[in-house]
Amino acid sequence: MIGIIVTGHGTFATGLTSGLKLLAGEPSDYESVDFDPEESLEVLTENLTHSLERLESCEGILILADLTGGSPYNAAVRLKLGGRNKIEIIGGANLPILLDAYMSRNSISDLVSLARASLEAGKAQTICFEAPANETCEEDDEIEYDE
C-alpha cells in the first residue's frame, strides 16, 4: 500500500483530511501535517519526518503539499533529496487529487504512476464555470455540466 501525507500552510492539511473523511471514511496509511504560523521550518520538517516514520512500512509515500515552492513543499523535497527515495511530491494539491490518490492506491501500486494519475484527475476537476447567456437557474433545477 502507498501511504499518503498531506501538508500545507495553516490548517490546509486538516481541512483536506476532513473532506476526505466525509467522502471516503476514516483514512488508513495516511497522515496530515499542518504548518502553523508560529512553527519554524525545523518543526515542520520534524513533523514530516515523524509522519514518514509512521508510514515506513508502506511501499512508497505520496506527499501532497498546498503550494509548489512553499515551505511544506520545500521541506518535503529536502527530505526526498536527503535519501528517502520512495517519496513522490505533488505541489498545488486539492481535494480531487487527494481523493483520487486515496481511492486509486488499491489499484495503482507504482508510486510514480499514482502521482501522475492523481495529478491529472486534479487538473481535470479544476474548471471555471461559465453560465450560458440569458440562462437562469431556479433553486430546484438540476445542474448539468459537460465533462
Side-chain angles (χ1 to χ4, degrees), residues 4-18:
I4 296 175
I5 298 174
V6 177
T7 187
H9 295 84
T11 58
F12 176 83
T14 300
L16 274 188
T17 301
S18 175

Side-chain angles (χ1 to χ4, degrees), residues 61-65 72-73 75-78 80 87-91 115:
I61 298 170
L62 179 60
I63 299 177
L64 305 177
Y73 177 88
V77 167
R78 281 188 204 97
K80 179 180 172 87
I87 296 174
E88 285 297 319
I89 304 160
I90 293 177

Side-chain angles (χ1 to χ4, degrees), residues 18-109:
S18 175
L20 178 64
K21 287 178 180 180
L22 181 66
L23 297 168
E26 190 66 36
S28 61
D29 295 320
Y30 179 90
E31 295 276 325
S32 65
V33 179
D34 288 327
F35 182 40
D36 295 322
E38 66 276 356
E39 291 178 340
S40 67
L41 186 56
E42 291 76 26
V43 169
L44 171 64
T45 302
E46 185 177 301
N47 291 339
L48 285 170
T49 300
H50 291 312
S51 289
L52 287 167
E53 289 168 355
R54 285 189 290 273
L55 297 175
E56 73 181 358
S57 64
C58 294
E59 297 168 26
I61 298 170
L62 179 60
I63 299 177
L64 305 177
D66 59 350
L67 295 172
T68 302
S71 295
Y73 177 88
N74 290 338
V77 167
R78 281 188 204 97
L79 289 170
K80 179 180 172 87
L81 294 176
R84 296 184 181 263
N85 294 330
K86 60 179 195 170
I87 296 174
E88 285 297 319
I89 304 160
I90 293 177
N94 58 31
L95 186 54
I97 290 174
L98 173 57
L99 186 60
D100 187 81
Y102 187 77
M103 301 300 279
S104 297
R105 66 187 180 157
N106 290 324
S107 59
I108 302 174
S109 60

